[in-house]
Amino acid sequence: MKSAGIFNGVRMKEIKEKRFRTKKGRVYNLKTRKAAVAELLPFLKKETVFQLCMQCPNFDKLWSCPPIVPDFEKFAAGYKYADMFLFWADTRQFSAEENPTLACYEFLKKKNRKYLLNLEEEKSGRAVFSFSCDLCSICRKKEGKPCKKPDEMRFNLTAFGFMIEDLSQVLMNHRISWSKDKNEAQYITQVSFLLYA
């Protein structure tokens, strides 16, 4: 029997929620919680995720994507904590767009990136996003050259081998909505970390 206020072993009071409205009237939501880096490790499913990554057009073509991404445990060795950030927004707000799902995804990506990079500076931490790096129009990895912006490039959770759906559901009490057949996802979800000592 689960104690009141506990879901999947996570105390719900640990999760904070905020709602934001832009000047254009678009709404997005943010759930946050603090975790120890050790709490995240059970959600690393490298082999399973790697097989999925091999089907992605970015595989072996971006410096932020597999198979060249460092091992997460080594990457996070200098950090003890991870603030988790789950951004989500309803795709219906973008119904006038040609592709509402993509428009919503790009909208959240801008909010997500700006929010975490500001906090990264405050906490002397390191952000890990839920999307691939797109700082350059063409990644130099495709040309066999070093990253042009190594200090600005950030890895993404999937590239490290994290199961985003499991992280979202177990640690943030949030189910992901997926596009299926010709039906658009009802909402877009992005999960990111801020690692710090």
Side-chain angles (χ1 to χ4, degrees):
M1 183 175 170
K2 294 179 182 176
S3 302
I6 295 181
F7 176 84
N8 285 333
V10 176
R11 293 185 183 279
M12 291 301 101
K13 66 179 183 179
E14 294 175 354
I15 299 173
K16 298 177 183 175
E17 298 186 60
K18 291 182 186 177
R19 175 168 284 204
F20 300 90
R21 184 179 296 274
T22 68
K23 291 179 182 177
K24 293 183 179 180
R26 287 183 170 149
V27 175
Y28 65 100
N29 306 276
L30 173 61
K31 286 185 173 186
T32 59
R33 80 176 292 260
K34 183 176 180 177
V37 169
E39 286 180 75
L40 308 175
L41 302 182
F43 299 93
L44 277 171
K45 307 291 182 189
K46 298 175 193 176
E47 289 184 19
T48 302
V49 176
F50 189 79
Q51 292 301 316
L52 296 172
C53 285
M54 289 177 72
Q55 300 169 35
C56 176
N58 290 334
F59 184 80
D60 204 20
K61 292 180 181 172
L62 298 181
W63 281 114
S64 65
C65 289
I68 50 166
V69 174
D71 178 80
F72 180 77
E73 293 178 60
K74 290 179 182 176
F75 177 82
Y79 303 104
K80 188 175 181 180
Y81 301 106
D83 283 349
M84 299 180 65
F85 300 87
L86 186 147
F87 292 80
W88 67 277
D90 195 314
T91 55
R92 289 174 295 185
Q93 300 175 94
F94 301 87
S95 57
E97 303 288 340
E98 184 178 342
N99 186 330
T101 301
L102 182 60
C104 187
Y105 177 85
E106 292 296 331
F107 165 77
L108 275 184
K109 187 162 75 170
K110 288 178 185 175
K111 300 298 179 187
N112 189 340
R113 178 183 279 132
K114 183 177 179 181
Y115 195 90
L116 261 76
L117 290 181
N118 285 338
L119 283 176
E120 187 183 70
E121 194 171 328
E122 283 179 30
K123 289 195 169 188
S124 299
R126 189 73 165 176
V128 182
F129 294 117
S130 58
F131 44 84
S132 298
C133 180
D134 60 359
L135 294 174
C136 302
S137 56
I138 298 176
C139 182
R140 292 175 64 169
K141 173 72 170 70
K142 295 176 183 178
E143 303 167 353
K145 295 179 181 177
C147 176
K148 190 176 181 181
K149 301 178 180 179
D151 294 334
E152 296 174 54
M153 188 268 286
R154 297 292 178 269
F155 295 110
N156 72 74
L157 295 175
T158 303
F160 279 123
F162 280 102
M163 291 292 287
I164 304 295
E165 188 167 18
D166 293 347
L167 276 170
S168 175
Q169 190 169 329
V170 177
L171 294 183
M172 303 299 279
N173 190 24
H174 178 92
R175 291 185 183 275
I176 293 177
S177 175
W178 299 100
S179 297
K180 190 175 181 182
D181 300 323
K182 294 183 179 180
N183 298 316
E184 297 282 345
Q186 294 178 350
Y187 52 89
I188 297 298
T189 301
Q190 292 180 2
V191 179
S192 295
F193 295 163
L194 179 66
L195 303 171
Y196 59 100

